[in-house]
Amino acid sequence: MNLTLKIWRQKNKQDKGRMETYPVSNISGDMSFLEMLDVLNEQLINDGKEPVAFDHDCREGICGMCSLFINGEAHGPGREITTCQLHMRSFKDGDTIHIEPWRAAAFPVVKDLVTDRSALDRIMNAGGFVSVNTSGNTIDANTIPVPKADADKAFDAATCIGCGACVATCKNASAMLFTSAKVSQLALLPQGKVEAHDRVLNMVHQMDLEGFGNCTNTGACEVECPKGISLENIARMNREYLSASVTGE
Amino acid sequence: MSLDAKIPAGPIDKKWTNHKNNIKLVNPANKRSIDIIVVGTGLAGGSAAASLAEMGYNVKAFCFQDSPRRAHSIAAQGGINAAKNYQNDGDSTYRLFYDTVKGGDYRSREANVYRLAEVSASIIDQCVAQGVPFAREYGGMLDNRSFGGVQVSRTFYAKGQTGQQLLLGAYSAMSRQIGKGKITMYNRHEMMDLVKVDGKARGIIARNLITGEIERHSAHAVVIASGGYGNVFFLSTNAMGSNTSAAWKVHKKGAYFANPCYTQIHPTCIPVSGDHQSKLTLMSESLRNDGRIWVPKKKEDAEAIRAGKLKPTQLAEEDRDYYLERRYPAFGNLVPRDVASRAAKERCDAGFGVNATGEAVYLDFASAIQRYGKEQALVHGHDSNDKALVTKLGKEVIKSKYGNLFQMYEKIVDQNPYETPMMIYPAVHYTMGGIWVDYNLMTTIPGCYAAGEANFSDHGANRLGASALMQGLADGYFVLPYTIGDYLADDIRTGEISTDLPEFEAAEKEVKDRLAFFINNKGTKSVDYFHKRLGKVMWNKVGMARNAKGLSEAIVEIREIRDEFWKDVRVPGELNEFNQELEKASRLADFLELGELFAMDALQRNESCGGHFREESVETSGEQEGEAKRDDANFAFVAAWEYTGNIAESKMHKEELKFENIELKQRSYK
Ligand SMILES: Cc1cc2nc3c(=O)[nH]c(=O)nc-3n(C[C@H](O)[C@H](O)[C@H](O)COP(=O)(O)OP(=O)(O)OC[C@H]3O[C@@H](n4cnc5c(N)ncnc54)[C@H](O)[C@@H]3O)c2cc1C
Ligand code: SF4
Ligand code: FES
């Protein structure tokens, strides 16, 4: 198929950036979206032009690196998939496709479609862990049975890939879904309960410092999240936060 | 230099404990004045960085992704082994040790493998303490599954996302130390070279991938945990950015490179669909627990299927060749990876392949669906003869076990694997070879260590499933934190290493010149053009089946591609900016050198062992006819290559492998 691509080009953080138009031809439905961009880039290089910068690594939906806003949707059409799992068979001949980077104050553009998401790491550094040192002498793993239902819920929350689609989708650019996924995972497990209060207070505090917006419960994040992280996690985090604030620090 | 593996004396099960007791320690106050650089934040680097920082060292960690959490380890699917014997099926440290040595086709170092098995149980304890959500049974206890090449269930897993959950555990431990300022994290930084001062590793030159700035970083020791080099084949299951550069740079500075030709070709990957293909996707080995592998018995049927005239589901049971069950009745579909891959290639080469390119076999879940469905029907008191119901229940069980893999398959291939068998074909997956290290994980450069897939240490010529994650975490959590102290104990008075030393200046200049060369070259072909060509030569002549003629040709062809690359590569953009083509060019330059050594090593090793299959070395008679033939008399050694300034003249050193606890046997899975 032949397509018209409208792509955000921005040389660096300082540059203002603009949309540019590129035609691509002979795209097969079996190609992934990123392979289609590979074709474009190969063409640009051969024409002596600068290829389009975009983030990607695993190309199988798990590293969270890819991050494109395609036709107004984070990770494009299709539910519970990342950009790299999107295949061209979702488009048809003659389509025009708009491709933009994640847009959020906390995610400045590095170049073209690449943004800086290190704010998410800093939220994690503030409390997204269990304070246990490495030692060969932690208790045997089976000494702490975890009810399967809790283990499964914790697992579901833990599958967040830290892509930031939730932030990019939210009209307030809130990072609540991301933060609540980690808070929930650890709050649901006995190992994480000990520090649950400090964790939620510190992570939420850092989230605010980074300039992410407030959550107004529109639920858009859940719809676009490639891993189906549920809004229940936000509710759980709010409960945790409330109880931590009430008990004091 | 003679190779000393520094294997501690004493009986195998006491070596590690004795060694730990005799090792030099660094006291807490002194640790604060010692810096360690860790290149890589995968399971090996992440766990090492976190543990070393917890102990009090100042750690500087580097990764090229935008966050340490995105290292390629994140993609591991199936699971991690540990000799916990929770299933009470006869597992033990010794059995895990034995299986790993046997699985590696007797080409690994006994003492290292034993230690790996010994610390494996602590890994699970550590991860659970961190909050890693492993799969559990209804009673709340940890669940296990079994993996290829073994007869016990010792694999711990978190659905099909085990690597992700383990890495997030290590990342969270790192995050805690980053928050405390004990780890300085350098995201989007690529190590460009190692800096040696007075023969010791004292730092690295790194490129800030956002600004293009070239930076000097010093330390008292450098740990390379940069992963494997499977992308030398262009197409592999590795992430797009996985590269050999850090390891290769260290090699060129004096670290020996061991067994470069030992590559694992994984039997269950989604077949190549066309020229646009940028990477291959693994379908976890755990699928072989329930999937049966087959091709049509008759060539006409295979041809009809390829032409789209016949559907696999239309083929009667007696017209199918379950070739693994036929050839290896004892292990069936669960033979080790190398054996399964070669068997698939053999059938496809013989004309029985089932997709348009003729390079695919079936992985079929129909019988598992029926088996589970019947069981569920009985358990819930339904009619187990109700075919529709049984099928429905069976599919639900399969979905709960492999749902995400089935979904991934359907997304890529656009076929529903619940209704029609999956198509799979072998693909490059893992590299057992890597930087040579001694028992302490130190390379031949003092103060330079290698961990995880980047080293060669534990898997011999073939790695068993679910053992890479185990090794990465063992190295980082439980081995390096001890052994590195032994070396650093002599550095407590050294003080900070200055980056103004001439050695830093020289290394920096070399890096800058090389990068400038790429930008100024203004050739006519893209980096990928050369990478794809290299990949084709590697796959066709240095891939699943190798012979002297092909290997000799490959060596020449790789050199030609390399020469052309340097003459004609086009790298757009500028030095001092975010420039992904420049990153790729720099990595490919190293792959083009490694490729040659890889082929040389394969040529030198005129035996078949593990993933390395030489067509000249097969059993010609008896029960094992046609199977790979190892040559212990001549090749029971590690080939450790020394760089001498020219790849073609690399010098091979041998580390003889002694087997004192396990008897060398032909690996039989019949
Ligand atoms: C699809 C897939 C599935 C797998 N499934 C399993 C499984 O189920 N069980 C199992 O045991 N094993 C599995 N493996 C193998 C296993 O995942 C890897 O061997 C292991 O994760 C490697 O870990 P590592 O820490 O050594 O390196 P990696 O995780 O590859 O990390 C490398 C790190 O080094 C950094 N780096 C690399 N080069 C540079 C440089 N020049 N400068 C700076 N940083 C650099 C990267 O940024 C990254 O942080 C699988 C592999 C694949 C491909
Ligand atoms: S919650 Fe979902 S959308 Fe947000 S970072 Fe995690 S995986 Fe991405
Ligand atoms: S590239 Fe890893 S999730 Fe898309």
Side-chain angles (χ1 to χ4, degrees):
Chain A
M1 56 186 122
N2 299 328
L3 303 163
T4 305
L5 305 176
K6 298 214 177 265
I7 303 182
W8 182 258
R9 301 302 306 258
Q10 180 175 342
K11 185 137 185 71
N12 50 40
K13 203 170 153 183
Q14 288 76 35
D15 183 20
K16 272 173 67 188
R18 71 221 72 88
M19 295 299 281
E20 284 191 13
T21 307
Y22 305 94
V24 282
S25 43
N26 293 324
I27 299 299
S28 109
D30 284 338
M31 283 182 191
S32 72
F33 196 81
L34 299 184
E35 284 168 346
M36 182 275 293
L37 287 180
D38 291 344
V39 170
L40 169 69
N41 276 346
E42 188 72 16
Q43 186 180 308
L44 289 173
I45 295 169
N46 288 334
D47 295 347
K49 298 194 184 119
E50 271 227 37
V52 179
F54 61 91
D55 262 332
H56 65 103
D57 198 25
C58 72
R59 294 206 176 184
E60 52 187 58
I62 195 77
C63 74
M65 195 93 179
C66 63
S67 41
L68 300 181
F69 215 68
I70 301 165
N71 287 343
E73 281 184 274
H75 294 306
R79 292 292 158 258
E80 301 206 6
I81 55 166
T82 53
T83 302
C84 59
Q85 292 177 298
L86 176 63
H87 277 71
M88 294 313 291
R89 59 181 83 94
S90 310
F91 298 90
K92 52 183 196 313
D93 190 39
D95 276 359
T96 297
I97 308 176
H98 292 256
I99 312 171
E100 290 181 73
W102 281 176
R103 303 274 187 204
F107 294 165
V109 170
V110 169
K111 183 175 183 176
D112 297 341
L113 304 170
V114 176
T115 59
D116 176 356
R117 290 169 286 184
S118 49
L120 298 180
D121 281 330
R122 289 189 292 272
I123 296 177
M124 286 291 292
N125 299 345
F129 45 77
V130 173
S131 294
V132 53
N133 276 358
T134 311
S135 79
N137 324 313
T138 36
I139 51 168
D140 181 88
N142 258 351
T143 342
I144 333 168
V146 181
K148 187 167 168 35
D150 287 350
D152 287 350
K153 266 195 215 143
F155 174 84
D156 288 341
T159 56
C160 163
I161 57 175
C163 62
C166 45
V167 178
T169 298
C170 176
K171 67 179 167 58
N172 309 317
S174 162
M176 282 290 271
L177 195 62
F178 167 82
T179 310
S180 69
K182 190 47 71 176
V183 166
S184 283
Q185 176 204 341
L186 296 178
L188 281 160
L189 296 171
Q191 303 89 306
K193 287 223 162 78
V194 185
E195 299 165 281
H197 281 184
D198 282 352
R199 177 179 308 114
V200 69
L201 294 176
N202 293 340
M203 289 180 77
V204 168
H205 177 65
Q206 188 64 35
M207 188 175 83
D208 294 340
L209 282 184
E210 296 290 347
F212 291 105
N214 291 327
C215 171
T216 51
N217 282 317
T218 65
C221 53
E222 184 188 46
V223 179
E224 293 298 341
C225 170
K227 295 295 142 180
I229 302 293
S230 148
L231 286 177
E232 266 175 44
N233 292 299
I234 297 190
R236 187 175 297 108
M237 177 159 91
N238 284 335
R239 286 198 300 276
E240 291 280 323
Y241 188 81
L242 208 66
S243 109
S245 314
V246 172
T247 13
E249 287 172 52
Chain B
M1 199 199 307
S2 75
L3 276 178
D4 180 2
K6 305 224 173 83
I7 299 167
I12 191 121
D13 57 341
K14 298 281 171 340
K15 283 184 197 291
W16 179 230
T17 312
N18 289 345
H19 189 57
K20 281 195 292 186
N21 290 338
N22 294 319
I23 234 164
K24 280 183 268 179
L25 300 175
V26 181
N27 84 27
N30 286 330
K31 287 197 185 100
R32 285 197 285 274
S33 58
I34 291 187
D35 305 324
I36 301 176
I37 284 175
V38 180
V39 179
T41 59
L43 288 186
S47 58
S51 308
L52 293 167
E54 285 161 11
M55 292 166 81
Y57 296 108
N58 307 312
V59 175
K60 302 180 193 178
F62 292 80
C63 72
F64 65 75
Q65 293 92 346
D66 70 337
S67 163
R69 66 180 292 154
R70 307 202 202 283
H72 166 58
S73 294
I74 201 89
Q77 301 172 348
I80 176 167
N81 289 329
K84 277 285 196 189
N85 194 27
Y86 282 160
Q87 305 304 324
N88 199 19
D89 54 4
D91 201 9
S92 63
T93 300
Y94 181 84
R95 191 173 284 276
L96 176 53
F97 159 63
Y98 174 82
D99 286 342
T100 309
V101 172
K102 175 187 174 199
D105 219 356
Y106 307 91
R107 289 293 174 266
S108 48
R109 199 188 277 153
E110 276 192 342
N112 282 55
V113 178
Y114 196 91
R115 174 177 64 190
L116 175 66
E118 202 176 332
V119 304
S120 65
S122 303
I123 296 174
I124 303 303
D125 299 341
Q126 179 67 28
C127 293
V128 167
Q130 289 170 341
V132 170
F134 284 120
R136 289 184 184 261
E137 297 166 345
Y138 282 98
M141 299 300 166
L142 293 162
D143 194 16
N144 291 112
R145 53 168 60 143
S146 75
F147 253 54
V150 304
Q151 289 168 314
V152 294
S153 279
R154 62 160 74 99
T155 306
F156 294 79
Y157 66 99
K159 281 206 181 140
Q161 285 125 285
T162 317
Q164 178 192 33
Q165 294 310 319
L166 295 174
L167 184 61
L168 293 181
Y171 163 72
S172 72
M174 278 186 85
S175 296
R176 178 168 156 241
Q177 298 304 318
I178 295 171
K180 285 183 176 173
K182 285 306 290 178
I183 297 181
T184 312
M185 184 63 225
Y186 295 89
N187 297 334
R188 292 209 203 257
H189 272 68
E190 180 142 341
M191 166 177 164
M192 305 303 292
D193 209 349
L194 179 80
V195 180
K196 269 167 56 174
V197 179
D198 298 333
K200 294 179 178 169
R202 289 303 198 192
I204 64 168
I205 304 296
R207 179 165 184 270
N208 176 331
L209 300 180
I210 295 183
T211 62
E213 216 171 315
I214 303 299
E215 304 170 351
R216 304 175 184 184
H217 295 274
S218 69
H220 298 88
V222 175
V223 177
I224 303 295
S226 55
Y229 51 87
N231 277 348
V232 67
F233 287 84
F234 184 70
L235 287 182
S236 83
T237 62
N238 287 7
M240 300 298 289
S242 297
N243 67 88
T244 191
S245 291
W248 193 250
K249 285 294 155 34
V250 167
H251 170 57
K252 289 179 82 175
K253 282 274 157 98
Y256 293 0
F257 207 102
N259 305 326
C261 80
Y262 287 168
T263 317
Q264 178 159 83
I265 313 251
H266 197 294
T268 53
C269 301
I270 300 181
V272 173
S273 79
D275 278 343
H276 57 265
Q277 194 97 25
S278 59
K279 75 153 283 175
L280 295 170
T281 303
L282 176 78
M283 287 284 103
S284 166
E285 172 159 310
S286 58
L287 292 172
R288 283 201 275 144
N289 273 308
D290 284 313
R292 297 177 69 196
I293 295 179
W294 63 276
V295 291
K297 243 185 212 154
K298 299 190 214 121
K299 245 185 216 163
E300 326 59 287
D301 288 341
E303 279 155 16
I305 286 178
R306 284 203 291 273
K309 289 183 199 138
L310 185 68
K311 289 206 177 84
T313 43
Q314 295 168 326
L315 220 59
E317 203 53 28
E318 60 273 18
D319 290 326
R320 303 172 175 199
D321 176 14
Y322 295 92
Y323 58 86
L324 288 176
E325 296 169 29
R326 166 171 62 78
R327 283 178 68 179
Y328 307 100
F331 281 71
N333 293 296
L334 284 172
V335 291
R337 293 175 176 176
D338 54 334
V339 177
S341 290
R342 274 197 298 279
K345 178 175 158 56
E346 188 276 329
R347 282 294 79 191
C348 291
D349 287 354
F352 295 92
V354 296
N355 70 348
T357 63
E359 293 199 327
V361 300
Y362 288 127
L363 177 63
D364 197 335
F365 293 87
S367 20
I369 289 174
Q370 292 308 312
R371 177 163 46 86
Y372 285 124
K374 283 224 168 77
E375 191 183 295
Q376 286 299 309
L378 288 171
V379 170
H380 294 107
H382 301 305
D383 177 6
S384 65
N385 293 318
D386 179 342
K387 218 154 179 247
L389 179 74
V390 165
T391 307
K392 177 172 164 285
L393 293 172
K395 282 183 186 165
E396 279 165 16
V397 175
I398 291 292
K399 183 165 183 203
S400 72
K401 295 180 96 162
Y402 311 111
N404 67 322
L405 296 168
F406 275 52
Q407 187 211 21
M408 191 145 93
Y409 181 86
E410 189 167 356
K411 288 263 141 59
I412 295 175
V413 184
D414 206 19
Q415 284 185 3
N416 179 352
Y418 293 99
E419 303 294 340
T420 181
M422 281 186 181
M423 287 183 292
I424 52 160
Y425 199 67
V428 173
H429 177 61
Y430 180 89
T431 47
M432 282 75 69
I435 312 173
W436 185 90
V437 287
D438 64 16
Y439 188 74
N440 296 319
L441 304 185
M442 184 144 86
T443 69
T444 48
I445 300 175
C448 181
Y449 291 77
E453 194 174 339
N455 74 22
F456 88 108
S457 70
D458 297 347
H459 309 293
N462 175 56
R463 173 174 70 74
L464 289 180
S467 284
L469 302 182
M470 168 172 73
Q471 183 225 333
L473 290 179
D475 287 359
Y477 281 138
F478 298 117
V479 180
L480 267 178
Y482 288 98
T483 58
I484 210 166
D486 193 37
Y487 170 82
L488 290 171
D490 295 334
D491 256 329
I492 52 178
R493 281 179 208 89
T494 310
E496 203 181 329
I497 311 283
S498 163
T499 53
D500 294 331
L501 292 169
E503 288 85 350
F504 277 91
E505 199 171 318
E508 182 188 280
K509 181 165 184 313
E510 213 175 296
V511 168
K512 283 188 169 162
D513 290 350
R514 174 160 127 142
L515 293 175
F517 176 91
F518 287 130
I519 297 288
N520 298 330
N521 196 42
K522 312 241 184 279
T524 64
K525 302 272 184 351
S526 71
V527 177
D528 279 357
Y529 165 83
F530 294 103
H531 200 165
K532 285 184 181 172
R533 273 180 60 193
L534 170 67
K536 282 230 166 70
V537 173
M538 292 298 297
W539 182 244
N540 292 333
K541 298 186 172 168
V542 203
M544 259 189 287
R546 305 162 174 177
N547 59 54
K549 181 170 167 285
L551 291 168
S552 309
E553 288 166 4
I555 292 172
V556 176
E557 289 167 29
I558 293 167
R559 264 183 225 148
E560 283 166 4
I561 300 172
R562 190 169 67 224
D563 289 346
E564 259 185 71
F565 165 79
W566 281 100
K567 277 198 201 101
D568 200 25
V569 70
R570 169 183 293 182
V571 179
E574 294 158 37
L575 280 174
N576 292 323
E577 65 168 349
F578 188 80
N579 188 339
Q580 291 172 313
E581 286 298 308
L582 182 60
E583 293 166 29
K584 276 161 53 179
S586 166
R587 292 172 192 157
L588 180 59
D590 296 327
F591 277 133
L592 283 163
E593 295 185 353
L594 165 77
E596 183 178 346
L597 186 69
F598 189 131
M600 284 164 61
D601 186 47
L603 181 60
Q604 161 279 128
R605 191 167 284 278
N606 191 9
E607 66 159 347
S608 294
C609 61
H612 171 66
F613 183 69
R614 282 291 296 266
E615 287 170 347
E616 297 93 331
S617 191
V618 292
E619 298 288 346
T620 49
S621 60
E623 200 207 1
Q624 302 288 333
E625 190 179 338
E627 298 294 323
K629 187 174 165 199
R630 225 174 50 225
D631 177 357
D632 293 329
N634 294 303
F635 289 98
F637 64 81
V638 175
W641 296 86
E642 179 185 0
Y643 182 70
T644 58
N646 176 353
I647 317 267
E649 282 154 27
S650 300
K651 194 166 156 211
M652 189 179 83
H653 301 261
K654 290 183 185 176
E655 179 196 338
E656 299 294 338
L657 292 168
K658 292 187 206 71
F659 292 90
E660 289 161 351
N661 299 278
I662 291 181
E663 187 196 346
L664 282 164
K665 270 205 212 136
Q666 178 171 38
R667 214 165 43 126
S668 170
Y669 294 94
K670 294 257 180 201

